[in-house]
Amino acid sequence: MNLTDFLGKKKQNTDSEKKEKSSEKVEDLFNIWNTNNNQSWKNNMEVNNSDLYIWNYGTKNQDTTIISLLNDIFVNAFRLKASDIHLEPREKNFCVRLRVDGNFIPYKEFPLSQRDSIIARIKIMASLRIDEHRLPQDGKINYRLFGDKAVDLRVSIMPTIYGEKCVLRILKKDEKPPELMELGIMPYNMVKIKEHLEDNYGMILAVWPTGSGKSTTLFWLLSKFNPEENNISTLEDPVEYRIPWVNHTQIYPAINFSFATWLRSLLRQDPDIIMVGEIRDEETAKLAVEASITGHIVFSTLHTNSAAHTIQRLTNLWVDPLLITSSIRMIISQRLARKLCPKCKIQYKPDEKIEKYIIGKVGKYLKDKENISLYKASPEWCDSCHHTGYSGRIGFFEILEISEKMEELILKWGSRTQLEIQAIGDGMIPIKEDGLLKVILWDTSLEEMISVLGTNN
């Protein structure tokens, strides 16, 4: 054996020994992980208190605590059907709250040492600047779940004295809007809605402050039209529901692509039905009204406190009262309330004062006025309602139609009170009475109705 062969054989043996030792080290490493670290991971999962704890995101193994922590927050928010996730810095900790059925549920608290890492991770996922801490930032995350399902998270980051606060609005993609009957539309209101869906032109508005389900109502109305027989276009901020054959468009204020800019261009696209996500300014209001009186059906939303107040709001945006009477066909005012949990709600007999109030307001709709019984949330609660006493949501509605007498009043610049009295005379059921009927039908509690509509209503 020559020197070259000897050195080659020795090198081969040395490489083989290194591989065996390396393999032993890897085996030892995994054994140590399985015996010791595995228990710490189990403990960590118990602390996270997650039934759907994920440490795999897509097809990549996520081996960092922050990524696992955020996955845990997101998935549990989806499981609880939360509408928003709030990540809020405090003086001594960093807390997470979920908005479920319109109310906050405390979720977890984290040490301040994790605050910056969590916010930075969200900024990376939303393609935001991680070095900007002084200015607000907005973005969007496309979060993919199992089974090729996806959820959009609209991100808003705002600086506070304790650090940056982050709010994520959950928008489920490709989800069909619920039926209005499921949301609590009563037959007397459904008749009015179906009647005006037969109109060939005009504007239908859904009004009330943010978070009252206006977009859901508009998309239900849109779903009643055949998109293959009509040219339907929507402009939204953001796009929430996706309807096949409907042209959905997202506004981009950063490049001056606003509702008004889109409306001017859209009228050259031969539209039949137009949905404007929100009327925010004078220009958008005038363009929407003009579109509705030139042979188009227009749906939109407006932030007002009642159906009658919507007329005044449009005049405040300098829309001519004559154009209002020519364009508006129906105004739907709505508000969402929590439904009582069917498993733990309890029945009770209201006192005499409450009973007289109910009979005075909605007694004409009741067959048996002597035996009125109501339900309320149980103080003991149950697991199915996450110990809140409520599960799901239901809507309170009032629908204003433009009659001939209403037109005359609008042209005379009638007050809000005059408009509301005339609307009731024309057959509008006020939202407070609609809410009381939901209480009598045991869908929600009197306390919830008062908290939603206020003591004035």
Side-chain angles (χ1 to χ4, degrees), residues 35-92:
T35 55
N36 297 331
N37 290 350
N38 192 28
Q39 186 62 38
S40 67
W41 273 91
K42 288 180 180 178
N43 293 336
N44 190 27
M45 289 176 70
E46 290 173 4
V47 171
N48 284 327
N49 193 24
S50 168
D51 295 332
L52 298 172
Y53 188 82
I54 290 181
W55 57 294
N56 286 322
Y57 179 72
T59 58
K60 297 180 179 179
N61 291 328
Q62 307 295 345
D63 54 356
T64 65
T65 305
I66 297 302
I67 294 175
S68 300
L69 183 150
L70 277 174
N71 284 334
D72 178 58
I73 294 172
F74 292 159
V75 174
N76 276 281
F78 305 151
R79 180 174 62 85
L80 294 173
K81 298 181 180 179
S83 60
D84 300 90
I85 303 171
H86 287 244
L87 299 99
E88 302 168 327
R90 297 286 184 248
E91 185 177 3
K92 297 182 179 179

Short mmCIF file of all heavy atoms in Angstrom, two decimals, residues 35-92:
data_model
loop_
_atom_site.label_atom_id
_atom_site.label_comp_id
_atom_site.label_asym_id
_atom_site.label_seq_id
_atom_site.Cartn_x
_atom_site.Cartn_y
_atom_site.Cartn_z
N THR A 35 -37.27 14.87 25.90
CA THR A 35 -37.45 14.60 27.33
C THR A 35 -37.67 15.88 28.13
O THR A 35 -38.53 15.95 28.99
CB THR A 35 -36.22 13.86 27.88
OG1 THR A 35 -35.06 14.62 27.58
CG2 THR A 35 -36.13 12.48 27.28
N ASN A 36 -36.89 16.92 27.79
CA ASN A 36 -36.94 18.13 28.61
C ASN A 36 -37.78 19.24 27.96
O ASN A 36 -38.77 19.67 28.50
CB ASN A 36 -35.51 18.65 28.85
CG ASN A 36 -34.69 17.65 29.65
OD1 ASN A 36 -35.24 16.89 30.43
ND2 ASN A 36 -33.39 17.67 29.44
N ASN A 37 -37.30 19.65 26.74
CA ASN A 37 -37.95 20.79 26.11
C ASN A 37 -39.38 20.49 25.71
O ASN A 37 -40.20 21.38 25.63
CB ASN A 37 -37.16 21.24 24.88
CG ASN A 37 -35.85 21.86 25.27
OD1 ASN A 37 -35.64 22.11 26.45
ND2 ASN A 37 -34.99 22.11 24.31
N ASN A 38 -39.66 19.22 25.40
CA ASN A 38 -41.03 18.88 25.02
C ASN A 38 -42.00 19.23 26.16
O ASN A 38 -43.10 19.71 25.92
CB ASN A 38 -41.12 17.39 24.69
CG ASN A 38 -42.44 17.05 24.03
OD1 ASN A 38 -43.02 17.91 23.37
ND2 ASN A 38 -42.89 15.84 24.20
N GLN A 39 -41.55 18.99 27.39
CA GLN A 39 -42.40 19.30 28.54
C GLN A 39 -42.60 20.81 28.67
O GLN A 39 -43.69 21.28 28.98
CB GLN A 39 -41.74 18.76 29.82
CG GLN A 39 -42.63 18.91 31.06
CD GLN A 39 -43.91 18.13 30.92
OE1 GLN A 39 -43.94 17.03 30.38
NE2 GLN A 39 -45.01 18.70 31.41
N SER A 40 -41.53 21.59 28.38
CA SER A 40 -41.67 23.04 28.46
C SER A 40 -42.61 23.55 27.38
O SER A 40 -43.37 24.49 27.60
CB SER A 40 -40.30 23.71 28.33
OG SER A 40 -39.77 23.52 27.04
N TRP A 41 -42.56 22.91 26.19
CA TRP A 41 -43.49 23.32 25.14
C TRP A 41 -44.92 23.01 25.55
O TRP A 41 -45.83 23.78 25.29
CB TRP A 41 -43.16 22.60 23.83
CG TRP A 41 -42.14 23.33 23.03
CD1 TRP A 41 -40.80 23.18 23.06
CD2 TRP A 41 -42.40 24.37 22.09
NE1 TRP A 41 -40.19 24.04 22.21
CE2 TRP A 41 -41.16 24.78 21.57
CE3 TRP A 41 -43.55 24.99 21.62
CZ2 TRP A 41 -41.04 25.77 20.64
CZ3 TRP A 41 -43.45 25.98 20.67
CH2 TRP A 41 -42.20 26.36 20.19
N LYS A 42 -45.13 21.87 26.18
CA LYS A 42 -46.47 21.52 26.65
C LYS A 42 -46.95 22.54 27.68
O LYS A 42 -48.09 22.98 27.66
CB LYS A 42 -46.48 20.12 27.26
CG LYS A 42 -46.36 19.01 26.22
CD LYS A 42 -46.38 17.64 26.89
CE LYS A 42 -46.24 16.52 25.86
NZ LYS A 42 -46.22 15.20 26.48
N ASN A 43 -46.03 22.91 28.59
CA ASN A 43 -46.40 23.91 29.59
C ASN A 43 -46.73 25.24 28.93
O ASN A 43 -47.66 25.93 29.31
CB ASN A 43 -45.26 24.10 30.60
CG ASN A 43 -45.04 22.85 31.44
OD1 ASN A 43 -45.95 22.04 31.60
ND2 ASN A 43 -43.83 22.70 31.96
N ASN A 44 -45.92 25.57 27.89
CA ASN A 44 -46.17 26.83 27.18
C ASN A 44 -47.53 26.82 26.52
O ASN A 44 -48.25 27.81 26.51
CB ASN A 44 -45.07 27.03 26.13
CG ASN A 44 -45.12 28.41 25.51
OD1 ASN A 44 -45.58 29.34 26.16
ND2 ASN A 44 -44.65 28.54 24.28
N MET A 45 -47.93 25.66 25.95
CA MET A 45 -49.23 25.55 25.30
C MET A 45 -50.34 25.68 26.32
O MET A 45 -51.39 26.25 26.04
CB MET A 45 -49.35 24.22 24.55
CG MET A 45 -48.47 24.16 23.31
SD MET A 45 -48.53 22.56 22.51
CE MET A 45 -50.19 22.57 21.87
N GLU A 46 -50.12 25.17 27.53
CA GLU A 46 -51.13 25.31 28.57
C GLU A 46 -51.30 26.77 28.97
O GLU A 46 -52.39 27.26 29.19
CB GLU A 46 -50.76 24.46 29.78
CG GLU A 46 -50.88 22.96 29.50
CD GLU A 46 -50.35 22.14 30.65
OE1 GLU A 46 -49.97 22.74 31.67
OE2 GLU A 46 -50.30 20.91 30.53
N VAL A 47 -50.16 27.48 29.03
CA VAL A 47 -50.22 28.89 29.38
C VAL A 47 -50.96 29.66 28.30
O VAL A 47 -51.77 30.54 28.56
CB VAL A 47 -48.79 29.46 29.56
CG1 VAL A 47 -48.84 30.97 29.70
CG2 VAL A 47 -48.14 28.83 30.78
N ASN A 48 -50.70 29.29 27.00
CA ASN A 48 -51.37 29.98 25.91
C ASN A 48 -52.87 29.71 25.91
O ASN A 48 -53.64 30.47 25.33
CB ASN A 48 -50.79 29.52 24.57
CG ASN A 48 -49.44 30.15 24.31
OD1 ASN A 48 -49.20 31.27 24.71
ND2 ASN A 48 -48.56 29.43 23.65
N ASN A 49 -53.29 28.60 26.52
CA ASN A 49 -54.71 28.30 26.67
C ASN A 49 -55.42 28.28 25.33
O ASN A 49 -56.47 28.86 25.15
CB ASN A 49 -55.39 29.31 27.60
CG ASN A 49 -56.76 28.84 28.02
OD1 ASN A 49 -57.03 27.64 28.00
ND2 ASN A 49 -57.63 29.77 28.38
N SER A 50 -54.80 27.66 24.33
CA SER A 50 -55.35 27.65 22.99
C SER A 50 -55.78 26.25 22.59
O SER A 50 -55.03 25.30 22.70
CB SER A 50 -54.28 28.15 22.00
OG SER A 50 -54.69 27.90 20.69
N ASP A 51 -57.04 26.14 22.14
CA ASP A 51 -57.52 24.86 21.62
C ASP A 51 -57.01 24.62 20.21
O ASP A 51 -57.01 23.50 19.73
CB ASP A 51 -59.05 24.85 21.61
CG ASP A 51 -59.60 24.92 23.01
OD1 ASP A 51 -58.90 24.47 23.93
OD2 ASP A 51 -60.72 25.44 23.18
N LEU A 52 -56.60 25.69 19.53
CA LEU A 52 -56.16 25.57 18.14
C LEU A 52 -54.75 26.13 17.98
O LEU A 52 -54.45 26.86 17.06
CB LEU A 52 -57.13 26.32 17.23
CG LEU A 52 -58.56 25.81 17.22
CD1 LEU A 52 -59.45 26.75 16.43
CD2 LEU A 52 -58.62 24.43 16.58
N TYR A 53 -53.89 25.80 18.94
CA TYR A 53 -52.53 26.35 18.93
C TYR A 53 -51.76 25.86 17.71
O TYR A 53 -51.74 24.67 17.40
CB TYR A 53 -51.80 25.92 20.20
CG TYR A 53 -50.47 26.60 20.35
CD1 TYR A 53 -50.41 27.88 20.89
CD2 TYR A 53 -49.30 25.98 19.97
CE1 TYR A 53 -49.20 28.51 21.04
CE2 TYR A 53 -48.10 26.61 20.12
CZ TYR A 53 -48.05 27.87 20.67
OH TYR A 53 -46.86 28.51 20.82
N ILE A 54 -51.16 26.80 16.98
CA ILE A 54 -50.45 26.46 15.75
C ILE A 54 -49.01 26.89 15.86
O ILE A 54 -48.72 28.03 16.23
CB ILE A 54 -51.10 27.16 14.54
CG1 ILE A 54 -52.47 26.54 14.29
CG2 ILE A 54 -50.24 27.04 13.31
CD1 ILE A 54 -53.17 27.16 13.11
N TRP A 55 -48.08 26.01 15.55
CA TRP A 55 -46.69 26.46 15.39
C TRP A 55 -46.19 26.07 14.00
O TRP A 55 -45.02 26.04 13.70
CB TRP A 55 -45.77 25.94 16.49
CG TRP A 55 -45.69 24.48 16.67
CD1 TRP A 55 -46.66 23.65 17.08
CD2 TRP A 55 -44.53 23.66 16.44
NE1 TRP A 55 -46.21 22.37 17.12
CE2 TRP A 55 -44.90 22.35 16.75
CE3 TRP A 55 -43.25 23.92 16.02
CZ2 TRP A 55 -44.01 21.29 16.62
CZ3 TRP A 55 -42.36 22.87 15.92
CH2 TRP A 55 -42.75 21.56 16.22
N ASN A 56 -47.12 25.77 13.10
CA ASN A 56 -46.84 25.65 11.68
C ASN A 56 -47.67 26.69 10.95
O ASN A 56 -48.87 26.72 11.10
CB ASN A 56 -47.23 24.26 11.15
CG ASN A 56 -46.25 23.20 11.60
OD1 ASN A 56 -45.06 23.45 11.66
ND2 ASN A 56 -46.76 22.04 11.93
N TYR A 57 -47.04 27.54 10.20
CA TYR A 57 -47.76 28.57 9.44
C TYR A 57 -47.57 28.26 7.97
O TYR A 57 -46.49 28.36 7.45
CB TYR A 57 -47.21 29.95 9.78
CG TYR A 57 -47.88 31.06 9.04
CD1 TYR A 57 -49.17 31.43 9.36
CD2 TYR A 57 -47.23 31.73 8.00
CE1 TYR A 57 -49.79 32.46 8.70
CE2 TYR A 57 -47.85 32.75 7.33
CZ TYR A 57 -49.13 33.12 7.69
OH TYR A 57 -49.76 34.13 7.01
N GLY A 58 -48.63 27.83 7.30
CA GLY A 58 -48.50 27.37 5.93
C GLY A 58 -47.71 26.09 5.88
O GLY A 58 -48.01 25.13 6.58
N THR A 59 -46.64 26.08 5.09
CA THR A 59 -45.80 24.89 4.99
C THR A 59 -44.46 25.09 5.68
O THR A 59 -43.60 24.22 5.64
CB THR A 59 -45.55 24.55 3.51
OG1 THR A 59 -44.95 25.69 2.89
CG2 THR A 59 -46.88 24.24 2.82
N LYS A 60 -44.24 26.24 6.32
CA LYS A 60 -42.97 26.53 6.98
C LYS A 60 -43.07 26.27 8.47
O LYS A 60 -44.04 26.62 9.12
CB LYS A 60 -42.58 27.99 6.75
CG LYS A 60 -42.37 28.34 5.29
CD LYS A 60 -41.99 29.81 5.15
CE LYS A 60 -41.75 30.16 3.70
NZ LYS A 60 -41.40 31.58 3.54
N ASN A 61 -42.03 25.66 9.00
CA ASN A 61 -41.98 25.46 10.45
C ASN A 61 -41.59 26.77 11.12
O ASN A 61 -40.59 27.38 10.80
CB ASN A 61 -40.94 24.39 10.79
CG ASN A 61 -41.38 23.02 10.34
OD1 ASN A 61 -42.57 22.73 10.33
ND2 ASN A 61 -40.43 22.19 9.94
N GLN A 62 -42.45 27.21 12.02
CA GLN A 62 -42.20 28.46 12.72
C GLN A 62 -41.59 28.13 14.08
O GLN A 62 -42.24 27.56 14.95
CB GLN A 62 -43.50 29.24 12.90
CG GLN A 62 -44.28 29.46 11.62
CD GLN A 62 -43.50 30.34 10.64
OE1 GLN A 62 -42.53 30.99 11.04
NE2 GLN A 62 -43.91 30.35 9.40
N ASP A 63 -40.34 28.48 14.26
CA ASP A 63 -39.62 28.09 15.46
C ASP A 63 -39.38 29.28 16.38
O ASP A 63 -38.53 29.21 17.26
CB ASP A 63 -38.29 27.43 15.09
CG ASP A 63 -37.44 28.30 14.17
OD1 ASP A 63 -37.94 29.37 13.78
OD2 ASP A 63 -36.31 27.91 13.86
N THR A 64 -40.08 30.37 16.19
CA THR A 64 -39.91 31.52 17.08
C THR A 64 -41.14 31.69 17.94
O THR A 64 -42.26 31.44 17.51
CB THR A 64 -39.65 32.81 16.29
OG1 THR A 64 -40.80 33.11 15.53
CG2 THR A 64 -38.45 32.66 15.38
N THR A 65 -40.94 32.19 19.14
CA THR A 65 -42.05 32.38 20.08
C THR A 65 -43.04 33.41 19.58
O THR A 65 -44.24 33.26 19.73
CB THR A 65 -41.49 32.81 21.43
OG1 THR A 65 -40.53 31.86 21.87
CG2 THR A 65 -42.59 32.94 22.47
N ILE A 66 -42.56 34.48 18.96
CA ILE A 66 -43.44 35.57 18.54
C ILE A 66 -44.39 35.10 17.44
O ILE A 66 -45.59 35.41 17.47
CB ILE A 66 -42.61 36.79 18.06
CG1 ILE A 66 -41.77 37.34 19.21
CG2 ILE A 66 -43.53 37.87 17.51
CD1 ILE A 66 -42.58 37.77 20.42
N ILE A 67 -43.87 34.36 16.48
CA ILE A 67 -44.73 33.87 15.39
C ILE A 67 -45.77 32.91 15.94
O ILE A 67 -46.95 32.99 15.59
CB ILE A 67 -43.88 33.20 14.29
CG1 ILE A 67 -42.99 34.24 13.62
CG2 ILE A 67 -44.76 32.51 13.26
CD1 ILE A 67 -42.03 33.69 12.60
N SER A 68 -45.35 32.02 16.83
CA SER A 68 -46.30 31.09 17.45
C SER A 68 -47.34 31.84 18.27
O SER A 68 -48.52 31.50 18.27
CB SER A 68 -45.54 30.10 18.34
OG SER A 68 -44.62 29.36 17.59
N LEU A 69 -46.90 32.86 18.96
CA LEU A 69 -47.80 33.65 19.80
C LEU A 69 -48.86 34.35 18.96
O LEU A 69 -50.05 34.34 19.28
CB LEU A 69 -46.96 34.67 20.57
CG LEU A 69 -47.63 35.58 21.58
CD1 LEU A 69 -46.62 35.92 22.67
CD2 LEU A 69 -48.08 36.87 20.92
N LEU A 70 -48.45 34.95 17.82
CA LEU A 70 -49.40 35.63 16.95
C LEU A 70 -50.36 34.66 16.29
O LEU A 70 -51.55 34.93 16.14
CB LEU A 70 -48.66 36.44 15.89
CG LEU A 70 -48.18 37.82 16.33
CD1 LEU A 70 -47.33 38.48 15.26
CD2 LEU A 70 -49.36 38.71 16.66
N ASN A 71 -49.84 33.49 15.87
CA ASN A 71 -50.73 32.47 15.31
C ASN A 71 -51.79 32.06 16.32
O ASN A 71 -52.96 31.86 15.99
CB ASN A 71 -49.92 31.25 14.88
CG ASN A 71 -49.16 31.47 13.61
OD1 ASN A 71 -49.55 32.28 12.77
ND2 ASN A 71 -48.06 30.76 13.44
N ASP A 72 -51.37 31.95 17.56
CA ASP A 72 -52.30 31.58 18.63
C ASP A 72 -53.40 32.64 18.78
O ASP A 72 -54.58 32.32 18.90
CB ASP A 72 -51.51 31.44 19.94
CG ASP A 72 -52.40 31.11 21.12
OD1 ASP A 72 -53.08 30.09 21.06
OD2 ASP A 72 -52.40 31.89 22.10
N ILE A 73 -53.02 33.93 18.75
CA ILE A 73 -54.00 35.01 18.87
C ILE A 73 -54.96 35.00 17.69
O ILE A 73 -56.19 35.07 17.86
CB ILE A 73 -53.28 36.37 18.97
CG1 ILE A 73 -52.48 36.47 20.27
CG2 ILE A 73 -54.29 37.52 18.87
CD1 ILE A 73 -51.59 37.69 20.34
N PHE A 74 -54.43 34.89 16.47
CA PHE A 74 -55.27 34.94 15.28
C PHE A 74 -56.27 33.80 15.24
O PHE A 74 -57.46 33.99 15.02
CB PHE A 74 -54.40 34.91 14.02
CG PHE A 74 -53.56 36.14 13.82
CD1 PHE A 74 -52.44 36.13 13.01
CD2 PHE A 74 -53.89 37.34 14.45
CE1 PHE A 74 -51.67 37.25 12.81
CE2 PHE A 74 -53.12 38.48 14.28
CZ PHE A 74 -52.01 38.43 13.45
N VAL A 75 -55.78 32.58 15.45
CA VAL A 75 -56.64 31.42 15.31
C VAL A 75 -57.73 31.40 16.38
O VAL A 75 -58.88 31.05 16.10
CB VAL A 75 -55.81 30.12 15.35
CG1 VAL A 75 -56.71 28.89 15.35
CG2 VAL A 75 -54.87 30.07 14.15
N ASN A 76 -57.39 31.80 17.58
CA ASN A 76 -58.42 31.86 18.62
C ASN A 76 -59.42 32.97 18.35
O ASN A 76 -60.60 32.84 18.68
CB ASN A 76 -57.77 32.04 20.00
CG ASN A 76 -57.32 30.73 20.59
OD1 ASN A 76 -58.12 29.98 21.13
ND2 ASN A 76 -56.03 30.44 20.46
N ALA A 77 -58.98 34.06 17.75
CA ALA A 77 -59.91 35.12 17.37
C ALA A 77 -60.89 34.62 16.30
O ALA A 77 -62.09 34.91 16.37
CB ALA A 77 -59.15 36.33 16.85
N PHE A 78 -60.39 33.83 15.34
CA PHE A 78 -61.28 33.25 14.33
C PHE A 78 -62.25 32.27 14.97
O PHE A 78 -63.43 32.22 14.62
CB PHE A 78 -60.47 32.54 13.25
CG PHE A 78 -59.42 33.40 12.59
CD1 PHE A 78 -58.26 32.83 12.08
CD2 PHE A 78 -59.59 34.77 12.49
CE1 PHE A 78 -57.30 33.62 11.47
CE2 PHE A 78 -58.62 35.57 11.90
CZ PHE A 78 -57.48 34.99 11.38
N ARG A 79 -61.75 31.49 15.92
CA ARG A 79 -62.61 30.48 16.56
C ARG A 79 -63.72 31.15 17.37
O ARG A 79 -64.85 30.65 17.39
CB ARG A 79 -61.75 29.61 17.48
CG ARG A 79 -62.51 28.52 18.21
CD ARG A 79 -61.57 27.62 19.00
NE ARG A 79 -60.86 28.34 20.02
CZ ARG A 79 -61.33 28.57 21.25
NH1 ARG A 79 -62.54 28.14 21.58
NH2 ARG A 79 -60.61 29.20 22.15
N LEU A 80 -63.41 32.26 18.00
CA LEU A 80 -64.42 32.96 18.81
C LEU A 80 -65.29 33.89 17.97
O LEU A 80 -66.17 34.56 18.50
CB LEU A 80 -63.72 33.78 19.90
CG LEU A 80 -62.98 32.99 20.96
CD1 LEU A 80 -62.20 33.92 21.89
CD2 LEU A 80 -63.95 32.14 21.78
N LYS A 81 -65.02 33.93 16.64
CA LYS A 81 -65.77 34.79 15.71
C LYS A 81 -65.67 36.26 16.10
O LYS A 81 -66.65 37.00 16.09
CB LYS A 81 -67.24 34.36 15.64
CG LYS A 81 -67.42 32.93 15.12
CD LYS A 81 -68.89 32.54 15.03
CE LYS A 81 -69.04 31.12 14.51
NZ LYS A 81 -70.47 30.71 14.45
N ALA A 82 -64.45 36.66 16.45
CA ALA A 82 -64.21 38.06 16.80
C ALA A 82 -64.20 38.91 15.54
O ALA A 82 -63.83 38.46 14.46
CB ALA A 82 -62.88 38.19 17.54
N SER A 83 -64.61 40.17 15.68
CA SER A 83 -64.58 41.09 14.55
C SER A 83 -63.31 41.94 14.55
O SER A 83 -62.88 42.41 13.50
CB SER A 83 -65.80 42.01 14.58
OG SER A 83 -65.83 42.78 15.79
N ASP A 84 -62.72 42.12 15.74
CA ASP A 84 -61.50 42.94 15.85
C ASP A 84 -60.57 42.35 16.90
O ASP A 84 -61.02 41.74 17.88
CB ASP A 84 -61.85 44.38 16.25
CG ASP A 84 -62.76 45.06 15.25
OD1 ASP A 84 -63.99 44.96 15.41
OD2 ASP A 84 -62.24 45.69 14.33
N ILE A 85 -59.27 42.58 16.68
CA ILE A 85 -58.24 42.21 17.65
C ILE A 85 -57.53 43.49 18.07
O ILE A 85 -57.03 44.24 17.22
CB ILE A 85 -57.22 41.22 17.05
CG1 ILE A 85 -57.91 39.97 16.52
CG2 ILE A 85 -56.17 40.84 18.09
CD1 ILE A 85 -56.99 39.05 15.73
N HIS A 86 -57.49 43.77 19.37
CA HIS A 86 -56.84 44.97 19.89
C HIS A 86 -55.60 44.56 20.67
O HIS A 86 -55.69 43.80 21.64
CB HIS A 86 -57.78 45.74 20.81
CG HIS A 86 -58.88 46.45 20.09
ND1 HIS A 86 -59.01 47.82 20.08
CD2 HIS A 86 -59.91 45.97 19.33
CE1 HIS A 86 -60.07 48.16 19.36
NE2 HIS A 86 -60.64 47.05 18.90
N LEU A 87 -54.44 45.05 20.26
CA LEU A 87 -53.18 44.83 20.97
C LEU A 87 -52.75 46.17 21.54
O LEU A 87 -52.35 47.08 20.79
CB LEU A 87 -52.11 44.26 20.03
CG LEU A 87 -52.44 42.91 19.40
CD1 LEU A 87 -52.97 43.09 17.99
CD2 LEU A 87 -51.22 42.01 19.36
N GLU A 88 -52.85 46.30 22.87
CA GLU A 88 -52.73 47.60 23.51
C GLU A 88 -51.60 47.63 24.53
O GLU A 88 -51.58 46.81 25.46
CB GLU A 88 -54.06 47.96 24.18
CG GLU A 88 -55.23 47.98 23.20
CD GLU A 88 -56.58 48.05 23.91
OE1 GLU A 88 -56.71 47.48 25.01
OE2 GLU A 88 -57.49 48.66 23.34
N PRO A 89 -50.68 48.58 24.40
CA PRO A 89 -49.62 48.72 25.40
C PRO A 89 -50.14 49.43 26.64
O PRO A 89 -50.93 50.38 26.56
CB PRO A 89 -48.57 49.57 24.68
CG PRO A 89 -49.35 50.37 23.70
CD PRO A 89 -50.52 49.52 23.29
N ARG A 90 -49.74 48.95 27.79
CA ARG A 90 -50.08 49.59 29.06
C ARG A 90 -48.78 49.97 29.77
O ARG A 90 -47.69 49.70 29.29
CB ARG A 90 -50.91 48.64 29.92
CG ARG A 90 -52.25 48.27 29.30
CD ARG A 90 -53.22 49.42 29.37
NE ARG A 90 -54.55 49.05 28.87
CZ ARG A 90 -55.08 49.53 27.77
NH1 ARG A 90 -54.39 50.38 27.02
NH2 ARG A 90 -56.29 49.18 27.38
N GLU A 91 -48.93 50.54 30.95
CA GLU A 91 -47.74 51.00 31.67
C GLU A 91 -46.85 49.84 32.10
O GLU A 91 -45.62 49.93 32.05
CB GLU A 91 -48.15 51.82 32.89
CG GLU A 91 -47.00 52.45 33.62
CD GLU A 91 -47.45 53.32 34.78
OE1 GLU A 91 -48.68 53.38 35.04
OE2 GLU A 91 -46.58 53.93 35.42
N LYS A 92 -47.48 48.71 32.50
CA LYS A 92 -46.71 47.59 33.03
C LYS A 92 -46.81 46.31 32.21
O LYS A 92 -46.14 45.34 32.52
CB LYS A 92 -47.15 47.30 34.46
CG LYS A 92 -46.88 48.46 35.42
CD LYS A 92 -47.30 48.11 36.84
CE LYS A 92 -47.01 49.26 37.80
NZ LYS A 92 -47.44 48.93 39.19
#
